[in-house]
Coordinates of all heavy atoms in Angstrom, one line a residue:
M422 N -14.1 -47.2 -60.1 CA -14.3 -46.2 -59.1 C -13.1 -45.4 -58.7 O -12.9 -45.1 -57.6 CB -15.0 -46.8 -57.9 CG -16.4 -47.3 -58.1 SD -17.3 -47.9 -56.7 CE -17.6 -46.4 -55.9
N423 N -12.2 -45.2 -59.6 CA -11.0 -44.4 -59.5 C -10.1 -44.9 -58.3 O -9.8 -44.2 -57.4 CB -11.3 -42.9 -59.2 CG -12.0 -42.3 -60.4 OD1 -12.2 -42.9 -61.4 ND2 -12.5 -41.1 -60.2
N424 N -9.8 -46.1 -58.3 CA -8.9 -46.8 -57.4 C -9.4 -46.6 -55.9 O -8.6 -46.6 -55.0 CB -7.5 -46.2 -57.4 CG -6.8 -46.5 -58.7 OD1 -7.2 -47.6 -59.3 ND2 -5.9 -45.7 -59.2
M425 N -10.7 -46.5 -55.7 CA -11.2 -46.5 -54.3 C -11.5 -47.9 -53.9 O -12.2 -48.7 -54.5 CB -12.4 -45.6 -54.3 CG -12.2 -44.1 -54.6 SD -13.7 -43.1 -54.2 CE -13.4 -42.9 -52.5
T426 N -11.0 -48.2 -52.7 CA -11.2 -49.5 -52.1 C -12.4 -49.5 -51.2 O -12.9 -48.4 -50.9 CB -10.0 -50.0 -51.3 OG1 -9.8 -49.0 -50.2 CG2 -8.7 -50.0 -52.2
F427 N -12.8 -50.6 -50.8 CA -14.0 -50.7 -49.9 C -13.7 -49.9 -48.7 O -14.6 -49.2 -48.1 CB -14.3 -52.2 -49.7 CG -15.4 -52.3 -48.7 CD1 -16.7 -52.1 -49.0 CD2 -15.2 -52.6 -47.3 CE1 -17.7 -52.3 -48.2 CE2 -16.1 -52.8 -46.4 CZ -17.5 -52.6 -46.8
D428 N -12.5 -50.1 -48.1 CA -12.1 -49.4 -46.8 C -12.1 -47.9 -47.0 O -12.7 -47.2 -46.1 CB -10.8 -49.8 -46.3 CG -10.7 -51.3 -45.9 OD1 -11.8 -51.8 -45.5 OD2 -9.6 -51.9 -45.9
S429 N -11.7 -47.3 -48.1 CA -11.7 -45.9 -48.3 C -13.1 -45.4 -48.4 O -13.4 -44.3 -47.9 CB -10.8 -45.5 -49.5 OG -11.2 -46.0 -50.6
I430 N -13.9 -46.1 -49.1 CA -15.3 -45.7 -49.3 C -16.0 -45.8 -48.0 O -16.8 -44.8 -47.6 CB -16.1 -46.6 -50.3 CG1 -15.4 -46.4 -51.7 CG2 -17.6 -46.3 -50.4 CD1 -15.9 -47.4 -52.8
W431 N -15.7 -46.8 -47.2 CA -16.4 -46.9 -45.8 C -16.0 -45.8 -45.0 O -16.8 -45.2 -44.3 CB -16.0 -48.3 -45.3 CG -16.5 -48.5 -43.9 CD1 -16.1 -48.2 -42.7 CD2 -17.8 -49.1 -43.7 NE1 -16.9 -48.5 -41.7 CE2 -18.0 -49.2 -42.3 CE3 -18.8 -49.7 -44.5 CZ2 -19.1 -49.7 -41.7 CZ3 -19.9 -50.3 -43.9 CH2 -20.1 -50.3 -42.5
E432 N -14.7 -45.4 -44.9 CA -14.2 -44.3 -44.1 C -14.8 -43.0 -44.5 O -15.1 -42.2 -43.7 CB -12.6 -44.3 -44.2 CG -12.0 -45.4 -43.5 CD -10.5 -45.4 -43.6 OE1 -9.9 -44.5 -44.4 OE2 -9.8 -46.4 -43.2
K433 N -15.0 -42.8 -45.8 CA -15.5 -41.6 -46.3 C -17.0 -41.4 -45.9 O -17.3 -40.4 -45.3 CB -15.4 -41.5 -47.9 CG -16.0 -40.3 -48.5 CD -15.9 -40.4 -50.0 CE -16.7 -39.2 -50.6 NZ -16.8 -39.3 -52.0
E434 N -17.7 -42.5 -46.0 CA -19.2 -42.4 -45.5 C -19.2 -42.2 -44.0 O -20.1 -41.5 -43.5 CB -19.8 -43.7 -46.0 CG -20.1 -43.8 -47.5 CD -21.0 -42.7 -48.0 OE1 -21.9 -42.3 -47.4 OE2 -20.6 -42.2 -49.1
E435 N -18.4 -43.0 -43.3 CA -18.4 -42.8 -41.8 C -18.0 -41.4 -41.4 O -18.7 -40.8 -40.6 CB -17.4 -43.8 -41.3 CG -17.5 -43.9 -39.7 CD -16.6 -45.0 -39.2 OE1 -16.9 -46.1 -39.5 OE2 -15.7 -44.7 -38.4
R436 N -17.0 -40.8 -42.1 CA -16.6 -39.5 -41.8 C -17.7 -38.5 -42.1 O -18.0 -37.5 -41.3 CB -15.3 -39.1 -42.6 CG -14.7 -37.8 -42.3 CD -13.4 -37.6 -43.0 NE -13.3 -38.0 -44.3 CZ -12.6 -39.1 -44.8 NH1 -11.9 -39.8 -43.9 NH2 -12.6 -39.4 -46.0
Q437 N -18.5 -38.7 -43.2 CA -19.6 -37.8 -43.5 C -20.7 -37.9 -42.5 O -21.3 -36.9 -42.1 CB -20.1 -38.1 -45.0 CG -19.2 -37.6 -46.0 CD -19.7 -38.1 -47.4 OE1 -20.6 -38.8 -47.6 NE2 -19.1 -37.5 -48.5
G438 N -20.9 -39.1 -42.0 CA -22.0 -39.3 -41.0 C -21.6 -38.6 -39.7 O -22.4 -37.9 -39.1
L439 N -20.4 -38.7 -39.3 CA -19.9 -38.0 -38.1 C -19.9 -36.5 -38.2 O -20.3 -35.8 -37.3 CB -18.5 -38.5 -37.8 CG -18.3 -39.9 -37.2 CD1 -16.8 -40.3 -37.1 CD2 -19.0 -40.1 -35.9
Q440 N -19.6 -36.0 -39.3 CA -19.6 -34.6 -39.6 C -21.0 -34.1 -39.5 O -21.3 -33.0 -38.9 CB -19.0 -34.2 -41.0 CG -17.5 -34.3 -41.0 CD -16.9 -34.1 -42.4 OE1 -17.7 -34.2 -43.4 NE2 -15.6 -33.9 -42.5
Q441 N -22.0 -34.8 -40.1 CA -23.4 -34.4 -40.1 C -23.9 -34.4 -38.6 O -24.6 -33.5 -38.2 CB -24.2 -35.3 -40.9 CG -25.7 -35.0 -41.0 CD -26.5 -36.0 -41.8 OE1 -25.9 -36.9 -42.3 NE2 -27.8 -35.6 -42.0
R442 N -23.6 -35.5 -37.9 CA -24.0 -35.6 -36.4 C -23.4 -34.4 -35.6 O -24.1 -33.8 -34.8 CB -23.6 -36.8 -35.8 CG -24.3 -37.1 -34.5 CD -24.0 -38.5 -34.0 NE -23.2 -38.3 -32.7 CZ -22.2 -39.0 -32.4 NH1 -21.7 -40.0 -33.1 NH2 -21.5 -38.7 -31.3
L443 N -22.1 -34.1 -35.9 CA -21.5 -32.9 -35.2 C -22.2 -31.6 -35.5 O -22.5 -30.8 -34.6 CB -20.0 -32.9 -35.5 CG -19.1 -33.9 -34.9 CD1 -17.7 -33.8 -35.4 CD2 -19.1 -33.7 -33.3
R444 N -22.5 -31.4 -36.8 CA -23.2 -30.1 -37.2 C -24.6 -30.1 -36.5 O -25.1 -29.0 -36.1 CB -23.4 -30.1 -38.7 CG -22.2 -29.5 -39.4 CD -22.5 -29.3 -40.9 NE -21.6 -30.2 -41.6 CZ -22.0 -31.2 -42.3 NH1 -23.2 -31.4 -42.6 NH2 -21.1 -32.0 -42.9
Q445 N -25.3 -31.2 -36.3 CA -26.6 -31.2 -35.7 C -26.5 -31.0 -34.2 O -27.4 -30.3 -33.6 CB -27.3 -32.5 -36.0 CG -27.7 -32.7 -37.4 CD -28.3 -34.0 -37.7 OE1 -28.1 -35.0 -36.9 NE2 -28.9 -34.2 -38.9
D446 N -25.5 -31.5 -33.6 CA -25.4 -31.5 -32.1 C -24.7 -30.2 -31.6 O -24.8 -29.9 -30.4 CB -24.6 -32.7 -31.6 CG -25.4 -34.0 -31.7 OD1 -26.5 -34.0 -32.0 OD2 -24.7 -35.0 -31.6
Y447 N -24.0 -29.5 -32.5 CA -23.3 -28.3 -32.0 C -24.2 -27.2 -31.4 O -23.8 -26.7 -30.3 CB -22.5 -27.8 -33.2 CG -21.6 -26.6 -32.9 CD1 -20.5 -26.7 -32.1 CD2 -22.0 -25.3 -33.2 CE1 -19.7 -25.6 -31.8 CE2 -21.3 -24.2 -32.9 CZ -20.1 -24.4 -32.1 OH -19.4 -23.3 -31.8
P448 N -25.3 -26.8 -31.9 CA -26.1 -25.8 -31.3 C -26.6 -26.2 -29.9 O -26.5 -25.3 -29.0 CB -27.4 -25.6 -32.2 CG -26.9 -26.1 -33.6 CD -25.9 -27.2 -33.3
A449 N -27.0 -27.4 -29.7 CA -27.3 -27.9 -28.4 C -26.2 -27.8 -27.4 O -26.3 -27.4 -26.2 CB -27.9 -29.3 -28.4
W450 N -25.0 -28.2 -27.9 CA -23.8 -28.2 -27.1 C -23.4 -26.7 -26.6 O -23.1 -26.5 -25.5 CB -22.7 -28.8 -27.8 CG -21.3 -28.7 -27.1 CD1 -20.9 -29.6 -26.1 CD2 -20.3 -27.7 -27.3 NE1 -19.7 -29.2 -25.6 CE2 -19.3 -28.1 -26.4 CE3 -20.1 -26.7 -28.1 CZ2 -18.1 -27.4 -26.3 CZ3 -19.0 -25.9 -28.0 CH2 -18.0 -26.3 -27.1
V451 N -23.5 -25.8 -27.6 CA -23.3 -24.4 -27.3 C -24.2 -23.9 -26.3 O -23.9 -23.2 -25.3 CB -23.3 -23.5 -28.6 CG1 -23.3 -22.1 -28.3 CG2 -22.2 -23.9 -29.5
R452 N -25.5 -24.2 -26.4 CA -26.6 -23.8 -25.5 C -26.3 -24.3 -24.0 O -26.3 -23.6 -23.1 CB -27.9 -24.2 -25.9 CG -29.1 -23.7 -25.1 CD -30.5 -24.0 -25.7 NE -30.7 -25.4 -26.2 CZ -30.6 -25.8 -27.5 NH1 -30.4 -24.8 -28.4 NH2 -30.8 -27.0 -27.8
R453 N -25.9 -25.6 -23.9 CA -25.6 -26.2 -22.6 C -24.4 -25.6 -22.1 O -24.3 -25.3 -20.8 CB -25.4 -27.7 -22.7 CG -26.6 -28.5 -23.0 CD -26.4 -30.0 -22.8 NE -25.3 -30.5 -23.6 CZ -25.5 -31.0 -24.9 NH1 -26.6 -31.0 -25.4 NH2 -24.4 -31.4 -25.5
R454 N -23.4 -25.3 -22.8 CA -22.2 -24.6 -22.4 C -22.5 -23.3 -21.8 O -22.0 -22.8 -20.7 CB -21.1 -24.6 -23.5 CG -19.9 -24.0 -23.1 CD -18.9 -23.9 -24.3 NE -17.7 -23.3 -24.0 CZ -16.9 -22.7 -24.8 NH1 -17.2 -22.7 -26.2 NH2 -15.8 -22.2 -24.5
R455 N -23.3 -22.5 -22.5 CA -23.7 -21.1 -22.1 C -24.5 -21.2 -20.8 O -24.3 -20.4 -19.9 CB -24.5 -20.5 -23.2 CG -24.8 -19.0 -22.9 CD -25.6 -18.3 -24.0 NE -24.9 -18.4 -25.3 CZ -25.4 -18.9 -26.5 NH1 -26.7 -19.3 -26.4 NH2 -24.8 -19.1 -27.6
Q456 N -25.4 -22.2 -20.7 CA -26.2 -22.3 -19.5 C -25.2 -22.7 -18.3 O -25.5 -22.1 -17.2 CB -27.2 -23.4 -19.6 CG -28.3 -23.0 -20.5 CD -29.3 -24.2 -20.8 OE1 -29.0 -25.3 -20.6 NE2 -30.5 -23.9 -21.3
R457 N -24.3 -23.5 -18.4 CA -23.4 -23.9 -17.4 C -22.5 -22.7 -17.0 O -22.4 -22.4 -15.7 CB -22.4 -25.0 -17.8 CG -23.0 -26.4 -17.8 CD -22.0 -27.4 -17.9 NE -21.3 -27.4 -19.2 CZ -21.5 -28.0 -20.2 NH1 -22.5 -28.9 -20.3 NH2 -20.8 -27.9 -21.4
R458 N -22.1 -21.9 -17.9 CA -21.3 -20.7 -17.6 C -22.2 -19.6 -16.8 O -21.7 -19.0 -15.8 CB -20.7 -20.0 -18.8 CG -19.5 -20.7 -19.4 CD -19.0 -20.0 -20.6 NE -17.8 -20.6 -21.0 CZ -17.1 -20.2 -22.0 NH1 -17.5 -19.1 -22.7 NH2 -16.0 -20.7 -22.4
T459 N -23.4 -19.5 -17.3 CA -24.3 -18.6 -16.6 C -24.6 -19.0 -15.2 O -24.6 -18.2 -14.2 CB -25.6 -18.4 -17.4 OG1 -25.3 -18.0 -18.8 CG2 -26.6 -17.5 -16.8
A460 N -24.9 -20.3 -15.0 CA -25.2 -20.8 -13.7 C -23.9 -20.7 -12.8 O -24.1 -20.3 -11.6 CB -25.5 -22.3 -13.7
L461 N -22.8 -20.9 -13.3 CA -21.5 -20.7 -12.5 C -21.3 -19.3 -12.1 O -21.0 -19.0 -10.9 CB -20.3 -21.3 -13.2 CG -18.9 -21.2 -12.5 CD1 -19.0 -21.9 -11.2 CD2 -17.8 -21.6 -13.5
A462 N -21.5 -18.4 -13.0 CA -21.4 -16.9 -12.7 C -22.4 -16.5 -11.7 O -22.1 -15.7 -10.8 CB -21.5 -16.1 -14.0
T463 N -23.7 -17.0 -11.8 CA -24.7 -16.7 -10.9 C -24.4 -17.1 -9.5 O -24.5 -16.4 -8.5 CB -26.1 -17.2 -11.4 OG1 -26.4 -16.7 -12.6 CG2 -27.2 -16.9 -10.4
I464 N -24.0 -18.4 -9.4 CA -23.6 -18.9 -8.1 C -22.4 -18.2 -7.5 O -22.4 -17.9 -6.3 CB -23.3 -20.4 -8.2 CG1 -24.5 -21.2 -8.5 CG2 -22.6 -21.0 -7.0 CD1 -24.3 -22.7 -8.9
T465 N -21.5 -17.8 -8.3 CA -20.3 -17.1 -7.8 C -20.8 -15.7 -7.3 O -20.3 -15.2 -6.1 CB -19.3 -16.9 -8.9 OG1 -18.9 -18.1 -9.4 CG2 -18.0 -16.1 -8.4
V466 N -21.6 -15.0 -8.0 CA -22.1 -13.6 -7.6 C -22.9 -13.8 -6.3 O -22.7 -13.0 -5.3 CB -22.9 -13.0 -8.7 CG1 -23.6 -11.7 -8.2 CG2 -22.0 -12.6 -9.8
L467 N -23.7 -14.8 -6.2 CA -24.5 -14.9 -5.0 C -23.7 -15.3 -3.8 O -23.9 -14.8 -2.7 CB -25.6 -16.1 -5.2 CG -26.7 -15.7 -6.1 CD1 -27.6 -16.9 -6.4 CD2 -27.5 -14.5 -5.6
A468 N -22.6 -16.1 -4.0 CA -21.8 -16.4 -2.9 C -21.0 -15.2 -2.4 O -20.9 -15.0 -1.2 CB -20.7 -17.5 -3.4
V469 N -20.5 -14.4 -3.3 CA -19.8 -13.2 -2.9 C -20.7 -12.2 -2.2 O -20.4 -11.6 -1.2 CB -19.1 -12.5 -4.1 CG1 -18.6 -11.1 -3.9 CG2 -18.0 -13.5 -4.6
A470 N -21.9 -12.1 -2.7 CA -22.9 -11.2 -2.2 C -23.3 -11.7 -0.8 O -23.4 -10.9 0.1 CB -24.1 -11.0 -3.0
G471 N -23.5 -13.0 -0.7 CA -23.9 -13.6 0.7 C -22.8 -13.4 1.7 O -23.1 -13.0 2.8
F472 N -21.6 -13.6 1.3 CA -20.4 -13.5 2.2 C -20.3 -12.0 2.6 O -20.1 -11.7 3.8 CB -19.1 -14.0 1.5 CG -18.0 -13.7 2.3 CD1 -17.7 -14.6 3.4 CD2 -17.0 -12.7 2.1 CE1 -16.5 -14.4 4.2 CE2 -15.9 -12.5 2.8 CZ -15.7 -13.3 3.9
S473 N -20.4 -11.1 1.6 CA -20.3 -9.7 2.0 C -21.4 -9.2 2.9 O -21.2 -8.5 3.9 CB -20.4 -8.8 0.7 OG -19.3 -9.2 -0.1
F474 N -22.7 -9.7 2.6 CA -23.8 -9.3 3.5 C -23.6 -9.8 4.9 O -23.8 -9.0 5.8 CB -25.1 -9.9 2.9 CG -26.3 -9.7 3.7 CD1 -26.8 -8.4 3.7 CD2 -26.9 -10.7 4.4 CE1 -28.0 -8.1 4.6 CE2 -28.0 -10.4 5.2 CZ -28.5 -9.2 5.3
F475 N -23.3 -11.1 5.1 CA -23.2 -11.6 6.4 C -21.9 -11.0 7.1 O -21.9 -10.8 8.4 CB -23.1 -13.1 6.4 CG -24.4 -13.8 6.1 CD1 -24.6 -14.6 5.0 CD2 -25.5 -13.6 6.9 CE1 -25.8 -15.1 4.7 CE2 -26.7 -14.1 6.6 CZ -26.8 -14.9 5.5
N476 N -20.9 -10.8 6.4 CA -19.7 -10.1 7.0 C -20.0 -8.7 7.4 O -19.6 -8.3 8.5 CB -18.5 -10.1 6.0 CG -17.2 -9.8 6.7 OD1 -17.0 -9.9 7.8 ND2 -16.3 -9.3 5.8
F477 N -20.7 -8.0 6.6 CA -21.1 -6.6 7.0 C -22.1 -6.6 8.1 O -21.9 -5.8 9.0 CB -21.7 -5.9 5.7 CG -22.2 -4.5 6.0 CD1 -21.3 -3.5 6.2 CD2 -23.5 -4.2 6.1 CE1 -21.7 -2.2 6.5 CE2 -24.0 -2.9 6.5 CZ -23.1 -1.9 6.6
Q478 N -23.0 -7.5 8.1 CA -24.0 -7.5 9.1 C -23.4 -7.9 10.5 O -23.8 -7.3 11.5 CB -25.1 -8.6 8.8 CG -26.3 -8.5 9.7 CD -27.4 -9.5 9.2 OE1 -27.1 -10.4 8.5 NE2 -28.6 -9.3 9.6
S479 N -22.5 -8.8 10.5 CA -21.9 -9.2 11.8 C -20.9 -8.1 12.3 O -20.8 -8.0 13.5 CB -21.1 -10.5 11.6 OG -20.0 -10.3 10.8
S480 N -20.4 -7.3 11.4 CA -19.5 -6.2 11.9 C -20.3 -5.0 12.4 O -19.8 -4.2 13.1 CB -18.6 -5.8 10.8 OG -19.2 -5.2 9.7
T481 N -21.5 -4.8 12.0 CA -22.3 -3.7 12.4 C -23.4 -4.1 13.4 O -24.2 -3.1 13.8 CB -22.9 -3.0 11.2 OG1 -23.9 -3.9 10.6 CG2 -22.0 -2.5 10.2
S482 N -23.5 -5.3 13.9 CA -24.6 -5.6 14.8 C -24.4 -5.2 16.2 O -25.3 -5.1 16.9 CB -24.8 -7.2 14.7 OG -23.7 -7.8 15.2
K483 N -23.2 -5.0 16.6 CA -22.9 -4.5 17.9 C -23.1 -3.0 18.0 O -22.7 -2.1 17.2 CB -21.4 -4.7 18.2 CG -21.0 -6.1 18.2 CD -19.5 -6.2 18.6 CE -18.9 -7.6 18.4 NZ -17.5 -7.7 18.6
D484 N -23.9 -2.6 19.0 CA -24.2 -1.2 19.2 C -22.9 -0.6 19.9 O -22.4 0.4 19.4 CB -25.4 -0.9 20.1 CG -26.6 -1.3 19.4 OD1 -26.7 -1.2 18.2 OD2 -27.6 -1.6 20.1
Y485 N -22.4 -1.2 20.9 CA -21.2 -0.8 21.5 C -20.7 -1.9 22.4 O -21.4 -2.8 22.9 CB -21.4 0.4 22.4 CG -22.5 0.4 23.4 CD1 -22.2 -0.1 24.7 CD2 -23.8 0.5 23.1 CE1 -23.1 -0.2 25.7 CE2 -24.8 0.5 24.1 CZ -24.4 0.0 25.3 OH -25.4 -0.1 26.3
D486 N -19.4 -1.9 22.7 CA -18.8 -3.0 23.5 C -19.0 -2.6 25.0 O -19.5 -3.4 25.8 CB -17.4 -3.2 23.2 CG -17.2 -3.9 21.8 OD1 -18.1 -4.6 21.4 OD2 -16.1 -3.7 21.2
Y487 N -18.6 -1.4 25.3 CA -18.7 -0.9 26.7 C -18.6 0.6 26.6 O -18.1 1.2 25.7 CB -17.7 -1.5 27.7 CG -16.3 -1.2 27.2 CD1 -15.6 0.0 27.7 CD2 -15.6 -2.0 26.4 CE1 -14.4 0.3 27.4 CE2 -14.3 -1.6 26.0 CZ -13.7 -0.5 26.5 OH -12.4 -0.2 26.2
V488 N -19.1 1.2 27.7 CA -19.0 2.7 27.8 C -18.2 3.0 29.0 O -18.4 2.5 30.1 CB -20.4 3.3 27.9 CG1 -20.3 4.8 28.1 CG2 -21.2 3.0 26.6
A489 N -17.2 3.9 28.9 CA -16.4 4.3 30.0 C -16.7 5.8 30.3 O -16.6 6.7 29.4 CB -14.9 4.2 29.7
C490 N -17.2 6.0 31.5 CA -17.6 7.4 31.9 C -17.2 7.5 33.4 O -17.4 6.6 34.2 CB -19.1 7.6 31.7 SG -19.6 9.2 32.2
N491 N -16.7 8.7 33.7 CA -16.4 9.0 35.1 C -17.5 9.5 36.0 O -17.3 9.8 37.1 CB -15.2 10.0 35.2 CG -15.6 11.3 34.6 OD1 -16.7 11.5 34.1 ND2 -14.6 12.2 34.6
R492 N -18.7 9.5 35.4 CA -19.9 9.9 36.2 C -20.7 8.7 36.6 O -21.1 7.9 35.7 CB -20.8 10.8 35.4 CG -20.1 12.1 35.1 CD -21.0 13.1 34.4 NE -22.0 13.5 35.4 CZ -23.0 14.3 35.2 NH1 -23.1 14.8 34.0 NH2 -23.8 14.7 36.1
S493 N -20.8 8.3 37.8 CA -21.5 7.1 38.3 C -22.9 7.4 38.4 O -23.3 8.6 38.5 CB -20.9 6.7 39.6 OG -21.0 7.7 40.6
G494 N -23.7 6.4 38.4 CA -25.2 6.6 38.6 C -26.0 6.8 37.3 O -27.2 6.9 37.3
I495 N -25.3 6.9 36.2 CA -26.0 7.1 34.9 C -25.7 5.8 34.1 O -24.6 5.3 34.0 CB -25.5 8.3 34.1 CG1 -25.7 9.5 35.0 CG2 -26.2 8.4 32.8 CD1 -25.2 10.8 34.4
A496 N -26.8 5.2 33.5 CA -26.7 4.0 32.8 C -25.8 4.1 31.5 O -25.8 5.1 30.9 CB -28.1 3.5 32.4
E497 N -25.2 3.0 31.2 CA -24.3 3.0 30.0 C -25.1 3.2 28.7 O -24.7 3.9 27.8 CB -23.6 1.6 29.9 CG -22.6 1.4 30.9 CD -21.8 0.1 30.7 OE1 -22.3 -0.7 29.8 OE2 -21.0 -0.2 31.5
G498 N -26.3 2.7 28.7 CA -27.2 3.0 27.5 C -27.5 4.4 27.2 O -27.6 4.8 26.1
H499 N -27.5 5.2 28.3 CA -27.8 6.7 28.1 C -26.5 7.3 27.3 O -26.8 8.0 26.4 CB -27.9 7.3 29.4 CG -27.9 8.9 29.3 ND1 -28.9 9.6 28.8 CD2 -26.9 9.7 29.7 CE1 -28.5 10.9 28.8 NE2 -27.4 11.0 29.3
W500 N -25.4 6.9 27.7 CA -24.2 7.5 27.0 C -24.1 6.9 25.6 O -23.6 7.7 24.7 CB -22.9 7.2 27.9 CG -22.9 7.9 29.1 CD1 -23.0 7.3 30.4 CD2 -23.0 9.3 29.4 NE1 -23.1 8.2 31.4 CE2 -23.0 9.5 30.8 CE3 -23.0 10.4 28.6 CZ2 -23.1 10.7 31.4 CZ3 -23.1 11.6 29.2 CH2 -23.1 11.8 30.6
A501 N -24.5 5.7 25.4 CA -24.5 5.2 24.0 C -25.4 5.9 23.1 O -25.1 6.3 22.0 CB -24.7 3.7 24.0
D502 N -26.6 6.2 23.7 CA -27.6 7.0 22.9 C -27.1 8.4 22.7 O -27.3 9.0 21.5 CB -28.9 7.1 23.7 CG -29.6 5.7 23.7 OD1 -29.3 4.8 22.9 OD2 -30.4 5.5 24.7
V503 N -26.4 9.0 23.6 CA -26.0 10.4 23.5 C -24.9 10.3 22.4 O -24.9 11.2 21.4 CB -25.4 11.0 24.8 CG1 -24.6 12.3 24.5 CG2 -26.5 11.2 25.8
A504 N -24.0 9.4 22.4 CA -22.9 9.3 21.3 C -23.5 9.1 20.0 O -23.1 9.6 19.0 CB -21.9 8.2 21.7
A505 N -24.6 8.2 19.9 CA -25.2 8.0 18.6 C -25.9 9.2 18.1 O -25.8 9.5 16.9 CB -26.2 6.8 18.8
N506 N -26.5 10.0 19.0 CA -27.1 11.2 18.5 C -26.1 12.2 18.0 O -26.3 12.9 17.0 CB -28.0 11.9 19.7 CG -29.3 11.1 19.9 OD1 -29.8 10.4 19.0 ND2 -29.8 11.2 21.1
I507 N -25.0 12.3 18.7 CA -23.9 13.2 18.3 C -23.3 12.8 17.0 O -23.2 13.6 16.0 CB -22.8 13.3 19.4 CG1 -23.3 13.9 20.6 CG2 -21.5 14.0 18.8 CD1 -22.3 13.8 21.8
L508 N -23.1 11.5 16.7 CA -22.6 11.0 15.4 C -23.6 11.2 14.3 O -23.2 11.6 13.2 CB -22.2 9.6 15.6 CG -21.1 9.2 16.4 CD1 -20.9 7.7 16.6 CD2 -19.8 9.8 15.9
I509 N -24.9 11.0 14.6 CA -25.9 11.3 13.6 C -26.0 12.8 13.2 O -26.0 13.2 12.1 CB -27.3 10.8 14.0 CG1 -27.3 9.3 14.1 CG2 -28.4 11.3 13.1 CD1 -28.5 8.7 14.8
M510 N -25.9 13.6 14.2 CA -26.0 15.1 14.0 C -24.8 15.5 13.2 O -24.9 16.3 12.2 CB -26.0 15.9 15.3 CG -27.4 15.8 15.9 SD -27.6 16.6 17.5 CE -26.1 17.4 18.0
N511 N -23.6 15.0 13.4 CA -22.4 15.4 12.7 C -22.4 14.8 11.3 O -21.8 15.5 10.4 CB -21.1 14.8 13.5 CG -20.8 15.6 14.7 OD1 -21.2 16.8 14.8 ND2 -20.1 15.1 15.6
S512 N -23.0 13.7 11.1 CA -23.0 13.2 9.7 C -24.1 13.9 8.9 O -24.0 13.8 7.6 CB -23.3 11.7 9.7 OG -24.6 11.5 10.2
E513 N -25.1 14.5 9.4 CA -26.1 15.2 8.6 C -25.6 16.6 8.3 O -26.1 17.2 7.3 CB -27.3 15.3 9.5 CG -28.1 14.1 9.7 CD -29.3 14.2 10.6 OE1 -29.5 15.3 11.1 OE2 -30.0 13.2 10.7
I514 N -24.6 17.1 8.9 CA -24.1 18.5 8.5 C -23.3 18.5 7.2 O -22.7 17.7 6.8 CB -23.2 19.0 9.7 CG1 -24.1 19.2 10.9 CG2 -22.6 20.4 9.3 CD1 -23.3 19.6 12.1

C-alpha cells in the first residue's frame, strides 16, 4: 500500500469524512448567518425609527409654553390660535 501506515490511512478517511460533513453543513450555516444578520439589521432599523419617532413626538407635543401679551382680559389660548393661524398662512404662501 505504498508505505501507508494504519495511522495515515485512518487520518485520511477521517479527513474525508470531515470534509464531506462540512460541505453538507455549509449551506445551512450560510442561511443561519444571513438570517441573523437580517434580524440584527431589522432590530437596528426599528430601534432607530422608534427612537426618532418618540423623540420627534415629544418635541412637537407642546402647543406652547406660555403666551405673553400686554392686553389683559383675553385668554392665552386665543393668542396661541392667532399665532398658529399666522404661521399656517405664512407657510402656505
Side-chain angles (χ1 to χ4, degrees):
M422 291 188 75
N423 297 355
N424 293 335
M425 293 193 82
T426 65
F427 176 79
D428 289 337
S429 62
I430 294 171
W431 182 269
E432 288 174 4
K433 179 182 172 187
E434 291 298 321
E435 188 173 300
R436 187 172 40 250
Q437 287 175 350
L439 288 174
Q440 287 173 346
Q441 182 180 3
R442 193 175 115 221
L443 286 173
R444 274 188 246 117
Q445 289 171 348
D446 291 346
Y447 183 73
W450 177 81
V451 170
R452 186 172 46 255
R453 285 191 308 269
R454 182 177 178 209
R455 190 177 304 127
Q456 287 174 343
R457 281 192 299 264
R458 283 184 176 181
T459 302
L461 180 63
T463 302
I464 290 169
T465 303
V466 167
L467 289 175
V469 169
F472 177 76
S473 298
F474 176 73
F475 288 118
N476 192 23
F477 177 73
Q478 190 177 22
S479 67
S480 68
T481 60
S482 64
K483 298 179 189 176
D484 290 336
Y485 57 92
D486 291 333
Y487 61 91
V488 175
C490 180
N491 60 358
R492 297 187 67 184
S493 61
I495 301 175
E497 290 181 356
H499 169 74
W500 295 115
D502 292 336
V503 170
N506 288 335
I507 291 171
L508 291 174
I509 290 172
M510 288 179 357
N511 286 339
S512 66
E513 290 176 353
I514 297 176

